[in-house]
Amino acid sequence: MTNIDDAFDQFEEEETEIPLGATLSGRKRLFSKELRCMMFGFGDDQNPYTESVDLLEDLVIEFITEMTHKAMEIGRTGRVQVEDIVFLVRKDQRKYARVKDLLTMNEELKKARKAFDEVKYAATDWQNITHASQWLCNFQLFHLLRG
């Protein structure tokens, strides 16, 4: 019985507290929340095992790191540009199509923001003009009535 107690005590000593959002290697978890949501969206439990999320995050980080290193080797050495990523995924039709969709959506969002800002500034200018014209009308009305 003492061997079991000794083994249990040894197990408890080996167990360490890991801060929330960190890993055994000490690296902070960056995508845990998003990965949990994605896993649930693809049919996993609403609260998937932490180990599963950690494993998936390790795979994602490894993929991003490898793609970044490869992208830095082509094109302008030491820099990552969009064209480099497109070049790297050009042979994988699914990834290529997704990258193209994301780039298209990004351009559309930029155009929409620009149009919204132009309307916003135009509305601000129009409000200033309207305010100035109201003030002028009131000023003229005041002098006509006074006069």
Side-chain angles (χ1 to χ4, degrees):
M1 186 83 153
T2 1
N3 289 339
I4 294 173
D5 291 337
D6 290 339
F8 185 74
D9 289 340
Q10 181 183 2
F11 177 75
E12 280 186 346
E13 289 171 7
E14 290 176 1
E15 197 174 272
T16 58
E17 288 292 320
I18 300 171
L20 187 63
T23 64
L24 289 173
S25 64
R27 184 174 53 81
K28 186 175 191 265
R29 290 292 176 187
L30 302 172
F31 305 113
S32 292
K33 183 179 177 185
E34 293 82 3
L35 288 172
R36 286 179 189 278
C37 292
M38 288 176 67
M39 290 171 74
F40 178 63
F42 281 99
D44 203 332
D45 189 65
Q46 188 168 2
N47 294 311
Y49 290 128
T50 303
E51 293 83 5
S52 300
V53 177
D54 291 349
L55 175 65
L56 193 55
E57 182 160 2
D58 289 342
L59 293 171
V60 169
I61 296 292
E62 183 180 334
F63 174 79
I64 291 171
T65 303
E66 285 180 12
M67 290 295 285
T68 303
H69 286 298
K70 288 177 185 177
M72 289 174 66
E73 292 172 1
I74 60 174
R76 296 176 91 182
T77 307
R79 295 193 65 188
V80 177
Q81 295 182 324
V82 175
E83 295 81 20
D84 300 334
I85 302 297
V86 173
F87 179 78
L88 288 172
V89 298
R90 73 191 184 282
K91 293 181 182 175
D92 187 333
Q93 289 183 341
R94 291 180 72 186
K95 288 178 188 168
Y96 183 77
R98 182 66 176 147
V99 167
K100 283 297 189 185
D101 286 344
L102 290 171
L103 290 172
T104 302
M105 283 191 286
N106 189 40
E107 287 301 315
E108 290 173 5
L109 284 171
K110 282 182 184 177
K111 289 178 186 176
R113 280 189 201 107
K114 184 177 177 183
F116 180 77
D117 287 343
E118 288 173 0
V119 168
K120 183 178 163 184
Y121 291 131
T124 303
D125 291 343
W126 180 252
Q127 289 171 347
N128 291 340
I129 292 169
T130 304
H131 180 67
S133 63
Q134 287 175 344
W135 182 84
L136 183 60
C137 288
N138 289 339
F139 181 77
Q140 290 174 345
L141 182 62
F142 173 75
H143 284 289
L144 282 175
L145 293 175
R146 196 175 126 202

